[in-house]
Structures are given as C-alpha cells and as structure tokens.
Amino acid sequence: MKPFAYLRPDTVDEAVRARAAHPGAAFLGGGTNLVDLMKLGACAPDLLIDVGRLPLDRIEELPDGGLRIGATVRNSDLAAAPVVQERYPVLSQALLAGASGQLRNAATTGGNLLQRTRCAYFQDVSTPCNKREPGSGCPAVEGVHRDLAVLGHSAHCVATHPSDLAVALAALDAAVEATGPDGARTVPVTALHRLPGEHPERDTVLEPGELITAVRLPPPPPLAHGRYRKARDRASYAFALVSVAALLEVRDGVVHHAALAYGGLAHRPWRATAAEEALRGAPATADTFGRAADAELSAARPLRDNGFKVPLARRLTVSVLGALAARHR
Amino acid sequence: MSHDPQPVPPEAPRHPLGAPTARREGRAKVTGAARYAAEHAPPHRVHAWPVPATVARGRITSVDTTDALALPGVHAVLTHENAPRLEPPEDPAVAVLQGPAVPHRGWYVALAVADTLESARAAAEAVRLTYAAEEHDVTLTPDHPGLYLPKEVNGGYPGTRERGDFDAAYAGALVTVDATYTLTALHNHPMEPHAATAWWDGGHLTVHDSTQGSTKARDDLAALFGLDRRDVTVVSEHVGGGFGSKGTLRPQAVLAAMAARVTGRPVTLALPRREMPAVVGHRAPTVQRVRLGAGADGVLTALAHEVVTHTSTVKEFVEQAAVPARVMYTSPHSRTVHRVVALDVPSPSWMRAPGEAPGMYALESAMDELAVLLDLDPVELRLRNEPATEPDTGRPFSSRGLTRALREGADRFGWRPRDPRPGVRRDGDLLLGTGVAAATYPVLIFPSSAEAHAAPDGGFRVRINATDIGTGARTVLGQIAAEALGVPEERVRVEIGRSDLPDAFLAGGSSGTASWGWAVHKACRALREDLSNRQHPLPREGLAVAADTREEIAAGSPYARHAFGAHFAEVQVDTVTGEVRVRRMLGMFAAGRILNPRTARSQFIGGMAMGIGMALTEHSTMDPVVGGFTERDLASYHVPVCADVHTIEAHWLDEGDPHLNPMGSKGIGEIGIVGAAAAVGNAVHHALGVRLRTLPLTPDAVLPHLP
Amino acid sequence: MEPTASPPDAAGPPPGATRSTVTLHVNGVPHRLTLDHRTTALDALRVHLGLTGTKKGCDHGQCGACTVLVDGWRANSCLLLAVALDGSALTTVEGLADADGLHPLQHAFMERDAFQCGYCTPGQLCSAAGMLQEAADGHPSHVTPDTVTPGAPVELTADEIRERMSGNLCRCGAYPRIVEAIGDATAHPAAPPVPHTVHGIGAVSVNGGGRTAS
C-alpha cells in the first residue's frame, strides 16, 4: 500500500470538489471493501476523501410514502430501522443475509452499492484482470470461475457483483442520488451497475467524481409481500452463490404485481424483467413461477464450472414466489 | 432461553487426574494478556514483509530492489542474491532465499524489512523481480503419468501392503463395493498466522515462534544457521492453533532470523493470511478407490484401499490415507497402496489427523455403501467386522473400544429405531437423515525429558518444553504432576514453552500429553521418592530431579495401540438450494483414561467441528491456469462459522488400558475429526438417497441430485 | 485530526501529508498519536499502543479476531483506518472489565472452556459484548422471525447467538461452548452491556430508534 493523503470534508460540495481536483483520489465510506482492496494493491488511491461522517446519515420518510436513505447510513442501522422492517422487509432481509455483524456496523449504504467484485483474479494483483488492468486479459474464463457470472458477461470479464443490498434495491425500483462536479442527478439502481462489455474496469455509470448521497425508495407496492433468499456455501458470512429478491402481489389467484431480481448471476444485480413479464397476469402457480424463471434464465451462458447457478436460480425463484403467493391465500 | 444441554462436568473428584480443571492460562487468554509470537516487541524492533513468487515454476532472472530500498524507513531487502547462506536443511521447504529456482507459486523470493508494518509492506510491493517461467503441471489426476509408488508414507509406514490374495478374494465375493472418493486440498488455517520475532545477541539467536514444538524448532534453526543448539532459544509460550501446520519449522522463523542478522535489529514477521496456503503445508488432495468384498453376513473377505495423491517437487510428503484400513476391519485379503506424483504445487504436510482423516472418510463411506447393499444396519455391519487382532500385524490390541463406542454412542444418539430407507424423511423443504462412521487414531508416544523441583516452602515446579497450542497442556501436566507427587494441583507450578527447558517432543500426532506426561510423571515420582527417603530438611535451593523416557519408549510395545470412536450425525438437505447443514452430532470415544474432561471435551468437539468443515464447507481449488490455490483467504476458503456448528456432544468410555503409559491415556487431539466427515456424508445419503463421493458437499455438488 | 503538514487545499494539487495526529480514546484513556494514514486501528492498538490483546487473524475483515468496540459498536479494527477514527472511543478486550475484575462474558468463557488456543477469544468477547447490546436495541438478525416487533429487544436463542456470532471464526471449534458461555452471560443478572455512545462509527439518526444523531 502506498502512502496517501487524507481529507475529511464537512460537506458534499467540498468532497466533490476535492475529488474533481485529484484524479487519484477515492471516497472512503465505511472502508470495509476499499481498505481491503488497498491492502491487496488492487486499489491505490493517493488521496482518501473520508465521506463517512458527512451529514448523510438520516433515513427520511418522504411525502409520497417512499423513503430516502442517506448514503452513510450503516447497513446495520438500515436493516434495523422499524420503517424498513415494516415496509421494506426484503431490504432488511437482504442486508442481514450479508457479511457479519461487525461489517454491517461499518459498511455504508453508498459503499455497499459500490463494492467491487470478489473474483479471485481481480483481488490478486499478480494475475491478469481486465477490470483491474484493462487489456491484461481474463484468466477466469478458462480458470476458476465457479462463483462467477452466467448472465450478461463478456469475453473480457465474467465477474459478479457481490452486494445483497443492491439486489433488493433493484427489485424495489430504488434510485441513487449522486452529486458530481456538474450537479446532482438520480440514477435507477437497475441502471447504476454496468455489464462488463469491453470495459469491465467501469463497474457503474457514475462518473469518477460523482458521490452517492442517498438512495431513494418509492412507496412499496401496497399489497405485495417481499422476500430475500440467498443460497451459500456456509450457513452465514458468505457471499451468495445465487440470491433472489422478490415482491409479489396476487389477486384472485392471478399475479397482479411482481418484481424479481437476482444476485450472484451477473456483473450487476439482475432485474428479471423477462420473468416479470411472464408472471404478470398469469395464475400464481409453481408452474408459472418455473416458466417465468426459465424465461429469464434462457439467456444464461454458463461457464464450464458454474452451470449449477441456473437451476439454483430457478429453484429459488419457484420457492420464494411460491412462499409469497401462499401468503395471499 | 434454551442452549445445548451439556453442562460442564461436576467439580471436585478426589484425584487431580480426571478432574475438570480449568485452564491455567485461561485468565490470560480472556483478558488479552497472553502474548503470541508477533506480540513481543523488544526495543528497536522492526517489521518484515515477505514477497511470494508469482510464477508456478521457473527461475528468477533479475532482482531490482532499488525502489524498495529508496522508501523511507526501509532497512533491507533480502533476496537469494544477498540473504545469509543456510546449511542444507532437513526440510527443503525452509531453504528460503537460497537460490533463483521457484518450485511453486507463492514460494518466498524476497523479504522487506522496515521500521513499520506499513513501510515493510510497501517495500515488499516495490521489489521488482523477473522470472523465466516454465510450463507448470499442478493438476492431480488418477491416471497421471508421473504417479509412482513411494517406499514410505507419512508416519514412516510402508507405502504398499498386501496380505493374502485380494484379487481372487474380491472376484469370489458375494457382495462387492467399488467406489472412488475424491477430496480437495484442505488448509489448516489456525487463527494465529505463522509469526516469529527474532533477535541476535552476540552469537545467540532468540526466536519467539508460533510453533508446535520449540525443541525441534531450536534444533532445526541451529542446524540451518550452523550454530550449536545452546546458542539458539526458541520460545512458544502461547500458540494460536496449529493443527499440524506449525509442527515443523516454517519460513517465518527462518526469515525473521535472517533479517535480524542482516539488520542487527529484532525483527517480527507475521505471514499474511493469503500467503499461508503456499508455505505452511496443506492436506494433500486425494483420489481414493475402496473395494470391499463380503459374504451375505457382511463379513469382509477382501479389502483394497488405493490412494492417489500429490506432493511437491520440493519434497516427498505422502498423505497416508490407506493406513487406517490396515487397522480397522478384519479381512483375510487386503491391499493398501499409495501412489503419488510430484507436481509444481506447494508442499503438503500435516493437517489434523493426516492419513486417518481423509482415509477414514473413504473407508467409512464404503462401509456405509456395503451396509446399504446388504440392507444391514451400518452399526451392526461394523460390529460384525471387529478383528481379534490388528489385521495388518496380527498383534493384540492393548484395548479396542470400538464395539462399545458404537453401541453406547448409538444409544445416546437415539440411533434406533432407524428406518434405513433413504430419501423419505421430510420436514417441509428439508430432507433429513442420520449417519454413522467409526474413528481410529494410533497411540503415538515420543521420548521427552522433564525436571521436577521441590522448594522448601512446600511448592513444586515442573519444567518441560511442552507446547500449549490450545490443548491445555499446562493444565493437564499440572494434574499429572500433582497426582504423581501426591499433592494438590495448586502447589505445582508448570513451566513450558521455551527451548531452554528440558527437551520434549512437539505437540503433534496426538502424542503430547502421553509423551510429556510420562516424563513429568517419572520425574515427579522420582522426586517424591527422594523426598520420602530424605532425613534432613531441603536446602534453600530446593531439590530437583530430572528424568527422560528414552528407554521406556525405545522398549516399544508388543501391542497394537489405537484410540477408537464412533460418530453419529443428523443432517438436513434443503431440497430448494442443495444446502446441507448438520443438525446435531455425537461422538463417542474410547481413548484410554481421560485426564481432564473439560479440556478433552473441547478437543473432541473441536475436531468434530473441523470434520463438519471437511464434509460441507471447506473447498480448495488448484488453479490450472496460474498454478496456485485459488481460495487463499478466509472469505473464500470456508472454515465453518458459528452458525454451521449446532449441537455437538462428545462422550467417552471409561477405558482402562495398562499398556500405554503411567497415566493410561491415549491421544485425543485428532480422533475427533477422523470419521466425522464420513458420518455427515453417510447421513446425507440417508437423507437424499444419492451417494455423493466428492467433498465438500456444497450446493453445486448436491443440486443435480435433488428431487 | 490534524495533518502534520499544512492542511490540504481542496482545489489544489494532491495534498502531501501522509501522516496525521489523531486522538483515540482507548479503554477510557485518550492517546494522541501521530500515525501514517495507512495505519489501521488494529495496528495502532497492537504496535503503537502495545495493546496486543486485539488479534490479527486475517487483516481483511474475514475472521473477526480483531473485533473491538468503536463507540460501543463492534467492528473489524483491521479495516478501520486510525486516521478516520479521530476522536472515537475504542474498547478492547483489555478494557472490557472494570479495573481488575472480569466481565461476565470473560468469566463465562472461562467457566465453559469456550476457547482453546485463545487467539480468537478477545474478538469473540468484544463481538459478544457488542452483539448483546445490538439485540437489546432491537437489531434483528438473519434468523430473527418476522413475527418479532421491529425495534423491540430480540430474545437471544441459541440460533440467534450462532448467527450473530458468525463473524468470528474459531478454528479450534469452540463454537458450542461459546454459544453456551454467551447464553450464561445473558442470564447473568450483573451482565452490563457495553453502552453505545451517541457517536457511533457512523453516527446516524433513524426514524423510530437506533443511533441518535451526532
């Protein structure tokens, strides 16, 4: 790790201006991923702009019935907030399925969304990686890729995004508010993360100087139930093999509203629009749920050793939607 | 609230031996006062950071340390070009920085030394090395052309044993099982990374080292640096686990000593966690074919256990997985064979119950397969195959508690009534099943020496270079001494963990308590004798008696001596995700006299917990592309977490065995893991109805077989 | 936090100071330290303050051995930069108990033999102390039933303890004993939770509960 300067601005504007002035700078939130990557040498900023104490630490109920979550709200606080547990249980469940109690106490909402892939080649600076070093190659395609992508990957990168939170936010139609040198803008979470394509070095559509200041949630679908379920290699404290965030509203045995997103399958949280289309208006049966999953997963292109993720995603889909549908009976 | 109902055993038996005495160092550990190797900070101490090789095979062609040395606070960068020369070591894996050859990825090629940890790390990153990389071969296959028959395997056992005519007996058997089991490499990952703090005082080298045995570490360091053993002191007061990986001298001690010599400063080196898998040993992967032939009564007539494994090009280490088959079951015709290939991989070494842990997974899984074929209860099948004498040698057993362990374990677990049909017990989305497996581990005892001292004030002191890696060695040695002296434990002080104490064998092979305890017992008995014959009061300096057990141990034993055990497990298989979890587990052990039920129970349970990891979560991949282990950190290498380990009970028989040592004890550190993975795997078969023969049983492995 | 060189100009070239002077309140004692920005809270404790009770197991937030309480909240000290903690209060295993007594958790760990090698133990103890307060504050876990009232204290069943303690690896496999020990400590009438101060790691204001604003 090379030496770096440290700055703790008091305002968002100050933070954004400092970042714009220093191309080698990085924002520091909870540090649970950035400090890890700096120790590995996978990130080497020469200035850390500590945004962890910016006044972005509130969860506000919005007049439209939605919620605005400050970017520095800690994962544990967000999961524990009664308003989140009551109205957005899928969000609370996703957070609590991730990491450990210690990490959730430090990790921030904004930082969680911006965490980098856990691909072993990305983390190991002695191996090529197009995400870390554009043009150097991707050993994962032929190498060890059991945990990597089956959807939306490219010849240049097969990494997955590790966040649980982002999957729930994708299903909830959340949007991030970001401020950059050119002002503020709002980006839907489903459009925040990119597919790798030819530029896997870019995880998100945010410009280098932009800072996430909040996540905005629309009001929850009034009659929908939500659930997050994650399959993993050990009972706790492990990244998802596959996870699913689902919201479902059934009226008279027919799917009225469905939102579905997958984790562990792609370079971004994967909003399953094809599945949702297959669900809407269809009878709320296991058969429908399976066909909906197939509609989404038919696009999967598994690598040599990660084909298991496709049936796993299908099974999780059928199970979670089935459980949600049962609550409408 | 409800918790696992297994209270700490009742207090206050009359004799120190067998008492549930609390750990002597317990308070130091719960208050943070216990210091481990990296936590000693002599004045002017500096920090070292290693540089691992980034090719899997080749040679270093150039070294450029200019940038590294230019960083502030950097004292030195050692490479093969400037590091002190070492004498040829007994273990070539510690001959670090002695030449340009790179035998595997992660082999240490340089060491940076600086005032601070931060500077040392930065300097290590700034070392520029170029390599002439050669093609590497890191992939173990059962038909690898480089496979050969080793003469010996780990533990000094012959690589191949044949008894009777296996082929004919197998061909003539009424019922046969022919199954191949595949295990990935496994990593010890003690919670304390390997660390050393070293300094030179004139010609004397002192090292605080995280080692399982500082007598041997001292001898090996002396040999490497061409010193008399009296000029080296190795201290290992507290060691944060080892599980075999700290059993032999490791690079951290050698590198720290080199760096201290070059810089003239005390040097601390703690190995980065992700570099450990390449340099502290691992359990080698195995492909194990087991063939069983039996009659309709289930009695074995033919048994073959054939093991394929890897070693490194640095040294030959052969995981002796077929050895337990020479001990376990009666069979007139037997073949046990190891084949090994030297690949461009890190050197494998000891990991908790080397040989027995992987070998008994395969053998005990095959026994379960046989029970299913015969529609025989798997406990009963094992009872029918109890040998009268040790099958491979014909020697009588000093004691063999397997039958009782199986029976009493089954009763305590609630094994019966058991519906043998697989795949029929449901709890919602979960399929449930139970499994059993046997365990065995040899009784190993090594020569040690001890000194017992009586002071005029009525206090006693025992000195022996035992090591406490978490077993409770201080505590049990105090109990043994008190028993031998006939005094309360509180009057006995125990000094261990320094190589200037009387020489002792390392904490390994479940041999510690027996080896050290015997020496302590002998010294204390002699002291007691001296005291009782004494006419005059003790002089001010007290009275000391030394003893060693070389003769007793050289005399050997006409008996086959082993501990045995039985594991019972109940698992659930999630039919949605393929996630397997252990609901409860029970181990019943026959391990001689249990000297401290409190600490013994912890060791048994700990071994079983590691067995859960072996069965379900721990997976290591040898990357064929870059040629190294992929899962090198604790996020990707899945050591079980608290949520993976539910109720575990450990019980034992009251086993009297007069053929062991004065305490009547067998080792207990390793048998807890032996067979544990098989019991879990057999339970998965019972739950799921499908036999899975590759560990670990992660969701990807289970999914294709879900209903 | 005071940079040792002149304060960086947000609009100028990259600031040069790579060290700062910070104040850390460790176990109730303020320490002014001038530290390399790369220094983690863990290394500040172990190397600069000689408080080696806090352990380094992985240095990457993957084992929990380095767990300390930061303003009452448990966290992996290996991933916290000391410079970012300026003004914070840290509680380590050395400061869990009052004076020379033992915290009920320490006592319970000894009683239950809830450790072997002892290397993960300080982190387990600090994690347990923080966890008890989290449960008392109504923080749910992955296994908390959704029938529990949000914000109400969560009853610590064995399953709850296992899930909440899963950020602390123990390779000796003392988990069953650890769960029992924590269970004992929760039942202990004198078990004082380590109180959270108002300034959390990220002081935050949550509608209806949680941390209060800084």
Side-chain angles (χ1 to χ4, degrees), chain B residues 334-350:
Chain B
S334 157
R335 172 183 296 156
T336 45
V337 184
H338 302 82
R339 290 186 189 82
V340 67
V341 55
L343 300 175
D344 304 313
V345 297
S347 298
S349 183
W350 300 329

Side-chain angles (χ1 to χ4, degrees), chain B residues 316-340:
Chain B
E316 185 188 86
F317 176 94
V318 186
E319 180 90 19
Q320 74 275 30
V323 165
R326 299 171 186 171
V327 174
M328 279 306 293
Y329 299 116
T330 183
S331 175
H333 305 284
S334 157
R335 172 183 296 156
T336 45
V337 184
H338 302 82
R339 290 186 189 82
V340 67

Side-chain angles (χ1 to χ4, degrees), chain A residues 110-129:
Chain A
N112 185 309
L113 295 177
L114 297 180
Q115 62 183 303
R116 312 296 307 270
T117 183
R118 300 285 163 165
C119 174
Y121 300 101
F122 175 73
Q123 296 185 323
D124 182 347
V125 295
S126 73
T127 62
C129 169

Side-chain angles (χ1 to χ4, degrees), chain A residues 1-2 39-40 120-121 123-124 126-127 139 142-144 146 229-239 241 308 311-312 315-316 319, chain B residues 54 105 121-122 125 274 429 574-577 579 581 617 621 623 625-626 630 632-634 638-639 641 643-644 698-700 703 706-707:
Chain A
M1 200 193 298
K2 66 179 185 183
K39 289 182 182 184
L40 294 171
Y121 300 101
Q123 296 185 323
D124 182 347
S126 73
T127 62
E142 294 299 320
V144 181
R146 168 196 180 255
R229 186 160 178 199
K230 174 178 180 178
R232 44 188 161 175
D233 280 336
R234 63 183 172 190
S236 188
Y237 202 11
F239 292 100
L241 295 168
F308 75 94
L312 180 53
R315 285 169 169 276
L316 279 170
S319 172
Chain B
T54 57
R105 193 176 173 85
R121 184 206 298 257
E125 289 166 358
R274 56 188 288 116
D429 283 336
D574 191 314
T575 58
V576 175
T577 61
E579 291 167 306
R581 307 286 181 243
T617 62
T621 316
D623 184 336
V625 177
V626 303
T630 299
R632 294 194 303 283
D633 64 22
L634 292 172
H638 292 134
V639 165
V641 295
D644 290 297
T698 44
D700 51 330
L703 266 167
L706 292 175

Side-chain angles (χ1 to χ4, degrees), chain C:
Chain C
M1 190 271 301
E2 302 161 23
T4 49
S6 53
D9 175 357
T18 57
R19 297 167 70 80
S20 294
T21 300
V22 298
T23 301
L24 301 178
H25 302 268
V26 181
N27 301 326
V29 180
H31 296 271
R32 267 176 80 75
L33 299 166
T34 299
L35 296 172
D36 190 313
H37 291 161
R38 294 172 293 185
T39 305
T40 59
L42 174 60
D43 289 332
L45 291 168
R46 283 170 63 82
V47 179
H48 295 265
L49 296 176
L51 290 171
T52 54
T54 306
K55 302 304 181 194
K56 184 182 285 187
C58 73
D59 212 19
H60 285 269
Q62 300 164 351
C63 78
C66 67
T67 303
V68 299
L69 300 171
V70 180
D71 298 327
W73 300 92
R74 56 179 172 158
N76 301 105
S77 61
C78 72
L79 293 181
L80 298 171
L81 295 173
V83 64
L85 292 185
D86 186 28
S88 297
L90 277 64
T91 304
T92 70
V93 70
E94 291 97 340
L96 270 186
D98 302 334
D100 48 18
L102 289 178
H103 188 278
L105 281 164
Q106 292 171 316
H107 183 73
F109 268 57
M110 287 174 68
E111 277 295 300
R112 287 285 186 173
D113 203 39
F115 54 90
Q116 293 177 52
C117 82
Y119 200 77
C120 74
T121 310
Q124 301 276 0
L125 288 162
C126 288
S127 184
M131 180 276 281
L132 295 181
Q133 184 64 50
E134 288 165 11
D137 285 351
H139 279 227
S141 83
H142 176 64
V143 300
T144 306
D146 54 13
T147 49
V148 167
T149 310
V154 181
E155 188 200 350
L156 287 175
T157 61
D159 275 346
E160 282 280 0
I161 295 173
R162 282 192 275 263
E163 164 61 22
R164 289 166 188 263
M165 291 301 294
S166 282
N168 292 83
L169 303 187
C170 170
R171 192 55 158 159
C172 295
Y175 297 130
R177 301 271 99 120
I178 290 169
V179 173
E180 290 165 0
I182 295 172
D184 290 353
T186 61
H188 195 286
V194 176
H196 297 160
T197 62
V198 289
H199 302 285
I201 300 172
V204 71
S205 168
V206 179
N207 293 346
R211 303 174 202 183
T212 49
S214 57

Side-chain angles (χ1 to χ4, degrees), chain B residues 13 52 90 146 414 417 459 462 465 482 536 621 676:
Chain B
E90 183 185 311
V462 167
N465 188 24
H536 308 290
T621 316

Side-chain angles (χ1 to χ4, degrees), chain B residues 558-570:
Chain B
Y559 293 97
R561 301 184 295 182
H562 305 270
F564 291 91
H567 292 281
F568 297 83
E570 179 180 346

